[in-house]
Amino acid sequence: MTNAEQLLEEKSIITYTPAPRVLTRYEDGFSFDLADKMKIIHGEFHLEERKAIAENRKRLAAEAAAQKEQESVAKNENASDTKSAVQASTVPVKPATPKPSAPAKQPAAAPAETVASKPAPEPVKEPAPAPPKESPVPEPLKEPEPPKESPAPVAPPVEETKTFSYLSQVEKEILAVTNRYRRENGLSNLVWDDSLYQSSRSHTRLMFETNNFAHTTKYAVAENIYMLASSDSSKYSAEFIVAKWMNSPGHRANILDSRVTRMGAGVLKGDQYFAKYDRKLPTLYATQHFK
C-alpha cells in the first residue's frame, strides 16, 4: 500500500465521539442524567406501544371469534329449516279409496231367433251441483274512535280587573285644587259639570277594566289622565294628582286654559294584575275633562 493510499484510508475512518453526559441540576441540589432519563422514557413508551398492540390483537381475535360463532349459528338454523322443508315435502299422501259401484244388472236373455239389439247407451251422469259458495261474513264495522281531546292551550295570565271603587271625595277636591292653581295664575274658577263628571268617570273605568292607560277621542273635551300603581295611600289625594298634572306641560295647559269654564273628574282605585311583577297591585286611575 502506498503512502497516498494509506493516507486516504485513514481519512475515510470515522471516529465516533459520544456526546457528553447532560446533567440537569436543580436549585435543591438534585440532578439526574438527561440521556439516561430519555432512554427510560423511550422504553416506557415502547412498552406501552407493545401493550396497545397486544390488546388490539386480542380485541380483533375476540371480534373474529364472535363473528365466526354467529355465522355458525346462522348456518345451523338454515340447515334445520331446509331439513324441515324436505321432511314436509316427502310425507306420503294417502290415495282416495274409490267407492264400490253397484253391480250392473244382467240383461234378460233375448229370444234366439231375434236380432241382437244395440246396447243401450249409458246414462249420462248429471254433474253434482256445486256446493253453494259461502258468502264471506262481513267484518263488523268499527265505530270510529272519538277524537282525542287535545289539551286546551294554557292561556297567559289574565289581567283581572274585577273590583274597584270611586273616590268621590278626591273627585270633588280636584276641582278645588284646580281652581286654586287657576287663581294663582290670574284665571277664573271652573264650575262642576255633571256631564263632564260622567264622561270622566266612564273613561277612568275603561282604562282600569282594559288595563290600557291612554287618552280617548270619544268625547269632544280637553282631557287630563293619570295612573299610579302603589300601596302608598298618601298619594291617593287631589293635591298629589293635580301637582303631577301641573308638572306636565300639556296637562298644565289644560288646567290654565282661559277658554274653559266647566270641569268634571273621575277617580277610582282597585287591585290590578301586572304581568311584569306577576301580582296584583293597588292601582289608581284619574281623568279630568274640561269644556
Side-chain angles (χ1 to χ4, degrees):
M1 180 182 295
T2 62
N3 293 335
E5 291 175 349
Q6 185 177 1
L7 181 61
L8 182 61
E9 184 179 358
E10 291 177 358
K11 288 183 179 181
S12 63
I13 296 174
I14 299 173
T15 303
Y16 175 75
T17 303
R21 297 171 68 83
V22 179
L23 295 179
T24 302
R25 298 182 180 276
Y26 295 90
E27 294 179 358
D28 58 358
F30 175 75
S31 65
F32 66 90
D33 189 340
L34 184 60
D36 290 345
K37 185 67 176 178
M38 291 303 296
K39 289 179 181 179
I40 293 172
I41 293 173
H42 179 73
E44 291 175 352
F45 283 161
H46 183 67
L47 180 61
E48 292 296 329
E49 184 179 3
R50 289 181 64 84
K51 287 182 179 179
I53 293 173
E55 290 178 357
N56 190 36
R57 287 177 178 173
K58 288 182 180 180
R59 181 180 60 80
L60 294 175
E63 291 179 356
Q67 185 176 3
K68 187 175 182 180
E69 183 177 357
Q70 290 179 357
E71 292 176 354
S72 176
V73 171
K75 186 176 181 181
N76 291 337
E77 290 180 352
N78 292 337
S80 177
D81 294 342
T82 305
K83 185 177 181 181
S84 299
V86 171
Q87 289 177 353
S89 62
T90 56
V91 173
V93 180
K94 293 182 178 182
T97 305
K99 293 182 180 180
S101 57
K105 292 182 179 181
Q106 294 293 332
E113 296 179 357
T114 58
V115 180
S117 61
K118 293 182 180 181
E122 295 181 359
V124 179
K125 294 183 180 179
E126 296 183 0
K133 294 183 179 179
E134 295 182 358
S135 57
V137 179
E139 296 182 359
L141 297 176
K142 291 184 180 180
E143 295 183 0
E145 296 181 0
K148 295 182 180 179
E149 296 182 358
S150 56
V154 179
V158 179
E159 298 180 351
E160 298 179 358
T161 56
K162 292 183 178 180
T163 58
F164 66 88
S165 58
Y166 288 109
L167 306 182
S168 302
Q169 185 64 29
V170 177
E171 292 170 343
K172 296 298 175 64
E173 290 175 356
I174 286 177
L175 174 63
V177 177
T178 297
N179 282 334
R180 190 183 73 222
Y181 279 111
R182 286 179 65 87
R183 288 193 302 272
E184 290 174 358
N185 288 274
L187 299 173
S188 59
N189 290 337
L190 301 177
V191 296
W192 188 261
D193 185 282
D194 286 337
S195 64
L196 296 177
Y197 171 55
Q198 295 299 327
S199 64
S200 60
R201 269 197 166 189
S202 176
H203 184 60
T204 300
R205 179 173 181 173
L206 177 66
M207 289 191 294
F208 178 79
E209 290 180 341
T210 60
N211 196 8
N212 182 27
F213 179 64
H215 285 283
T216 180
T217 57
K218 183 177 179 180
Y219 310 103
V221 295
E223 181 180 78
N224 288 345
I225 56 175
Y226 178 74
M227 172 192 169
L228 172 68
S230 173
S231 57
D232 186 357
S233 58
S234 65
K235 297 178 180 179
Y236 304 158
S237 65
E239 288 286 352
F240 187 85
I241 295 170
V242 179
K244 290 292 184 181
W245 282 334
M246 289 296 291
N247 289 329
S248 170
H251 298 87
R252 179 187 178 93
N254 286 337
I255 291 175
L256 301 181
D257 190 344
S258 60
R259 296 170 296 176
V260 299
T261 58
R262 295 172 292 153
M263 190 211 84
V267 182
L268 66 78
K269 180 179 78 70
D271 292 333
Q272 192 167 58
Y273 177 83
F274 288 87
K276 180 179 179 180
Y277 307 106
D278 193 22
R279 64 189 179 98
K280 289 183 177 180
L281 294 174
T283 309
L284 180 140
Y285 284 90
T287 304
Q288 188 179 35
H289 283 172
F290 304 89
K291 266 195 176 181

